[in-house]
Amino acid sequence: EDQVTQSPEALRLQEGESSSLNCSYTVSGLRGLFWYRQDPGKGPEFLFTLYSAGEEKEKERLKATLTKKESFLHITAPKPEDSATYLCAVQAWGETSGSRLTFGEGTQLTVNP
Amino acid sequence: DSGVTQTPKHLITATGQRVTLRCSPRSGDLSVYWYQQSLDQGLQFLIHYYNGEERAKGNILERFSAQQFPDLHSELNLSSLELGDSALYFCASSSRTGGGNTIYFGEGSWLTVV
């Protein structure tokens, strides 16, 4: 069974204080690892897809990296508007998996001004 | 705006009732997924349809059913509702069923069962 574990559960940062969020995963065969941002009461907003170990992707203050067992979402010089829950999900190979995403519980990020 | 449209946005209903949630995928997307998000659980996969055919089932209760129509919109039917069914229900879509495709989520339908 595919499993995704995110840490920490919650993270408070001061504006400008860089940090990283962790996503550890166990999957039979990784098709892709996804990062989403979710604001309260809203749908997840797509950020990145990573496909293979060593891959990196960047978007504004966010950078996602992937190894064979985990992914990191690095946040550089965050701003209050970066406050949200960040979700990690894996998509696995397999007939019964379809294209489903298996999500972690998320990391709730708060950036104080 | 992801391009995935869900209606209704909010719904309050009584236990034992039946409701239908509707989803219009992004233009051109053939795959539709349904997820449930409750306060004490993360996003749970319910079901995946591709071009009208069921492709995968997750932890979907027998009281719940879904279908995808020829125009590619999808409906999630929830019956004999219980208090524990109160949750945010998300629809998502992607262009194909293959691996690595981006999956875009709608804004969700808030269901409250009283």
Side-chain angles (χ1 to χ4, degrees):
Chain A
E1 183 179 331
D2 304 333
Q3 286 192 326
V4 179
T5 303
Q6 291 189 245
S7 62
E9 290 185 11
L11 180 64
R12 284 187 176 273
L13 300 174
Q14 288 299 121
E15 185 171 2
E17 180 187 1
S18 301
S19 188
S20 296
L21 313 181
N22 177 262
C23 170
S24 299
Y25 63 91
T26 303
V27 64
S28 53
L30 183 69
R31 272 181 169 176
L33 185 138
F34 294 70
W35 282 98
Y36 288 85
R37 167 195 170 124
Q38 186 176 25
D39 293 303
K42 301 288 187 181
E45 175 189 343
F46 171 76
L47 294 174
F48 306 107
T49 308
L50 302 168
Y51 298 104
S52 57
E55 188 174 0
E56 298 182 352
K57 287 193 177 174
E58 288 188 67
K59 179 180 179 180
E60 296 180 358
R61 296 177 292 282
L62 300 177
K63 178 180 177 180
T65 61
L66 181 65
T67 72
K68 288 187 177 180
K69 293 184 178 180
E70 57 191 350
S71 177
F72 293 93
L73 185 65
H74 307 278
I75 304 177
T76 302
K79 298 181 178 182
E81 53 262 42
D82 294 323
S83 297
T85 296
Y86 290 84
L87 299 168
C88 172
V90 295
Q91 188 179 57
W93 291 100
E95 282 297 315
T96 58
S97 297
S99 297
R100 77 176 75 181
L101 295 177
T102 300
F103 282 87
E105 296 292 316
T107 292
Q108 187 173 359
L109 174 67
T110 304
V111 182
N112 297 313
Chain B
D1 183 5
S2 68
V4 179
T5 303
Q6 291 187 246
T7 57
K9 294 191 186 309
H10 297 90
L11 190 58
I12 301 174
T13 190
T15 55
Q17 295 299 305
R18 173 190 169 95
V19 298
T20 296
L21 309 180
R22 182 188 168 100
C23 169
S24 294
R26 295 189 324 145
S27 177
D29 282 0
L30 300 179
S31 271
V32 170
Y33 311 79
W34 286 97
Y35 285 82
Q36 179 192 56
Q37 187 175 42
S38 51
L39 285 177
D40 58 350
Q41 284 191 322
L43 277 158
Q44 301 292 317
F45 169 73
L46 295 178
I47 199 163
H48 168 210
Y49 276 85
Y50 176 78
N51 202 20
E53 292 186 7
E54 182 185 304
R55 281 302 178 99
K57 263 187 176 180
N59 299 321
I60 187 167
L61 300 172
E62 287 190 8
R63 300 183 286 109
F64 296 0
S65 65
Q67 54 184 328
Q68 186 180 27
F69 295 88
D71 67 353
L72 301 178
H73 91 271
S74 178
E75 293 181 354
L76 179 67
N77 300 296
L78 315 175
S79 61
S80 302
L81 285 167
E82 302 174 359
L83 295 178
D85 297 328
S86 296
L88 194 52
Y89 290 85
F90 287 108
C91 171
S93 75
S94 65
S95 60
R96 53 188 169 90
T97 189
N101 51 309
T102 300
I103 298 176
Y104 295 93
F105 283 78
E107 289 300 301
S109 291
W110 276 101
L111 173 65
T112 302
V113 182
V114 297

